[in-house]
Amino acid sequence: MTVEMDKIVSLCKRRGIIFQNSEIYGGIGNTWDYGPLGVELKRNVKEAWWDAVVYRRDDMEGLDAAILMNPTTWQASGHLESFTDPLVDCKKCKHRFRLDDIGGAACPDCGGELTEARSFNLMFKTFVGPVEEEAAVTYLRPETAQGIFVNFVNVQKMMRRKIPFGIAQIGKSFRNEITPGNFTFRTREFEQMEIEFFVKPGTDESWYEHWVDQRFRWYLDLGVNRDHLRLRTHEAHELAHYAKACVDVEYLFPMGWSELEGIANRGDYDLRRHAEYSRKDLSYFDEATKERYIPYVIEPSAGADRATLAILIDAYREEEVRGEKRTLLAIANRLAPIKIAVLPLLKNRADIVDLARKLAADLRSEGKTVYDDTASIGRLYRRQDEVGTPYCVTVDVQSLDDRQVTVRDRDSMRQVRIPLDGIREYLKKCLATGGLAE
Ligand code: GAP
């Protein structure tokens, strides 16, 4: 069983990882802000994704499209018509539910009678320009995918790409979720990491398998426990309006198995619809075979917030060390918000403080490095353990004489003395390999 969500929420607040948005005004339904350490963690997750899906492949391009789009986009994509949740209200306690989330015909909270289901469109409506009239209506994008589809021809032609190739994008999406909850799992504003991979019809099933495999492995490579991950194929009635097939990568969150990422075979639905609504030719001509076709699309669509939350939950540990509780985030080095903490053993010794500060400045080239002298060494270690800092470097009285410092490994708590003149290289090696290098 994984940790309870309350412990994660409390750690995130206490250690500057995630705060409630506009907390001083009582907050706003399920909207969260990433604090100084949260922003580092989420950036590292996004960078690991970009690295895996763009830099390590030769069949991918990146894109950063705008959130606001011509409103016809949402007609063509089918979101205006079909991006709805069926809602029911309890006539007695007035609580509201997504029909899909509740098993029976009665209110799960009080057993009261439920209203008939109503369809509710999840897109946030807004107005472009000063006049709030129908002609100025547009929407905040509910998925980043459409920004990719409308740029398919631009990217394909300008980058001289041949099918198969894909486009990756990270960006904010917005959904007026009716029943948000479970911390950052389901929010109204969130970040997606999406790929639209364009393939020749007929090759789509093997590319679908390829991407399911690649995306599952990505979570394993980041150190997520294999037993907390699974694949779940969608039943026909669960498929989104555009999908031919879909499989979810699920994580065992504290509330149970839930979606981390969906990998869908969207067929030619999107390019065909955009071609129809824009009256532009969005087909592809294969010079080698002289065939013209509308590509099929395989879409691995992940959530940066959900991946970050799963990584936090998965890394959370509580242990007993010499009769005291130790909380730590056993997180992969590349994801850790802080890589190195430099701690002087005595903060009232100017020579030790001076050496420690100089060392911290020198180590900053290896990743985020902090200097901290605001508590006793035991408390400083615990603080760094709680935010997953893999290495603490302690400067003590002896360091002034022997020009060596102590490096402590977060997970094993093992310590080694390392000469100052080789410390940067040593930590570089540790950061790359994990644990204490030989
Ligand atoms: N373009 C396809 C698409 O948007 P989706 O399954 O609706 O598919 C993809 O969303 C991913 O985006 C989800 O697996 C999840 O990680 C993330 N996501 C979706 N809605 C979210 C929400 N309300 N809060 C946080 N993340 C969300």
Side-chain angles (χ1 to χ4, degrees):
M1 193 50 218
T2 59
V3 57
E4 301 95 76
M5 194 71 95
D6 285 354
K7 285 196 174 168
I8 298 293
V9 177
S10 151
L11 171 76
C12 284
K13 164 110 204 238
R14 199 166 70 241
R15 291 292 176 225
I17 301 172
I18 299 173
F19 304 127
Q20 188 184 16
N21 169 270
S22 35
E23 190 180 5
I24 59 168
Y25 293 109
I28 173 169
N30 280 83
T31 309
W32 301 90
D33 296 340
Y34 288 82
L37 298 194
V39 68
E40 298 295 338
L41 174 61
K42 192 167 149 191
R43 275 173 63 108
N44 293 341
V45 170
K46 290 187 284 184
E47 271 165 29
W49 182 85
W50 195 267
D51 182 57
V53 307
V54 181
Y55 295 156
R56 305 269 168 150
R57 302 181 61 107
D58 65 1
D59 54 4
M60 292 288 299
E61 299 286 354
L63 184 75
D64 186 3
I67 288 169
L68 295 176
M69 300 183 73
N70 184 306
T72 310
T73 307
W74 307 112
Q75 267 176 321
S77 70
H79 282 82
L80 263 177
E81 197 185 333
S82 310
F83 197 55
T84 53
D85 266 353
L87 284 190
V88 290
D89 293 293
C90 172
K91 291 184 181 167
K92 200 163 140 204
C93 71
K94 310 289 179 214
H95 288 174
R96 180 164 288 172
F97 306 94
R98 273 165 67 168
L99 190 61
D100 309 350
D101 288 347
I102 55 174
C107 171
D109 289 348
C110 75
E113 193 191 339
L114 298 172
T115 60
E116 288 286 304
R118 291 173 292 124
S119 279
F120 176 81
N121 195 297
L122 297 179
M123 284 199 294
F124 275 102
K125 211 179 210 180
T126 190
F127 298 93
V128 172
V131 188
E132 294 195 5
E133 60 187 15
E134 212 37 45
V137 165
T138 192
Y139 301 88
L140 302 186
R141 67 180 177 197
E143 60 172 14
T144 69
Q146 299 304 323
I148 299 182
F149 294 128
V150 299
N151 276 297
F152 163 68
V153 173
N154 280 341
V155 176
Q156 188 265 316
K157 292 223 153 74
M158 304 312 151
M159 307 313 289
R160 298 175 306 283
R161 280 287 181 180
K162 290 193 170 61
I163 297 276
F165 80 96
I167 304 177
Q169 171 164 240
I170 299 178
K172 287 251 169 149
S173 291
F174 301 81
R175 295 181 191 177
N176 201 356
E177 300 277 4
I178 313 310
T179 53
N182 290 316
F183 197 27
T184 53
F185 178 82
R186 192 186 302 284
T187 53
R188 296 197 165 98
E189 173 179 344
F190 53 95
E191 248 178 312
Q192 290 186 307
M193 308 187 288
E194 297 203 292
I195 297 166
E196 307 304 327
F197 198 80
F198 301 94
V199 304
K200 184 175 178 183
T203 64
D204 48 311
E205 283 175 21
S206 63
W207 278 109
Y208 177 69
E209 299 298 322
H210 166 84
W211 278 108
V212 171
D213 178 61
Q214 290 291 304
R215 296 303 307 141
F216 193 80
R217 262 170 218 250
W218 184 74
Y219 294 96
L220 296 177
D221 289 348
L222 293 185
V224 178
N225 184 340
R226 175 75 184 75
D227 296 339
H228 296 165
L229 286 170
R230 73 174 188 192
L231 290 172
R232 190 182 69 81
T233 304
H234 280 212
E235 306 278 337
H237 70 89
E238 291 178 89
L239 290 174
H241 60 271
Y242 48 74
K244 241 178 95 176
C246 186
V247 63
D248 285 345
V249 179
E250 293 192 332
Y251 179 76
L252 186 55
F253 283 96
M255 64 282 187
W257 287 102
S258 311
E259 175 185 343
L260 259 184
E261 163 161 3
I263 299 117
N265 183 344
R266 293 179 79 128
D268 61 2
Y269 175 86
D270 301 273
L271 290 180
R272 197 170 280 289
R273 294 273 295 196
H274 284 301
E276 190 187 316
Y277 279 75
S278 66
R279 298 202 185 88
K280 299 281 182 326
D281 181 8
L282 303 185
S283 64
Y284 171 79
F285 183 68
D286 187 330
E287 293 287 352
T289 62
K290 308 291 177 214
E291 285 172 284
R292 181 171 287 285
Y293 57 83
I294 301 217
Y296 273 22
V297 173
I298 307 302
E299 178 194 63
S301 174
D305 307 272
R306 277 192 200 173
T308 303
L309 181 61
I311 281 158
L312 275 169
I313 292 168
D314 215 67
Y316 186 91
R317 310 264 186 284
E318 282 178 10
E319 319 176 330
E320 204 171 292
V321 178
R322 280 174 245 106
E324 269 189 48
K325 188 175 102 176
R326 172 169 100 117
T327 304
L328 76 151
L329 284 183
I331 203 167
N333 286 358
R334 63 193 297 208
L335 299 180
I338 299 170
K339 310 296 183 203
I340 304 164
V342 180
L343 315 170
L345 204 63
L346 299 170
K347 71 167 175 187
N348 47 11
R349 279 281 301 264
D351 42 4
I352 294 182
V353 165
D354 195 41
L355 179 58
R357 282 195 182 279
K358 281 203 183 99
L359 178 59
D362 192 36
L363 292 175
R364 288 204 171 104
S365 59
E366 304 316 311
K368 188 166 168 63
T369 301
V370 297
Y371 167 91
D372 194 0
D373 65 9
T374 57
S376 67
I377 191 70
R379 288 191 58 178
L380 292 177
Y381 280 152
R382 296 287 174 268
R383 214 181 264 172
Q384 295 301 329
D385 288 345
E386 270 202 323
V387 297
T389 307
Y391 304 107
C392 288
V393 180
T394 309
V395 180
D396 53 26
V397 182
Q398 211 186 328
S399 306
L400 300 169
D401 287 338
D402 66 4
R403 309 296 294 169
Q404 294 198 354
V405 286
T406 302
V407 177
R408 171 188 179 269
D409 170 56
R410 176 196 65 209
D411 296 352
S412 65
M413 292 187 287
R414 262 184 63 216
Q415 304 192 355
V416 285
R417 291 289 282 181
I418 301 293
L420 270 171
D421 63 6
I423 185 78
R424 196 145 59 86
E425 283 310 308
Y426 180 74
L427 285 168
K428 189 199 278 294
K429 213 161 142 195
C430 294
L431 281 165
T433 55
L436 291 175
E438 289 313 314

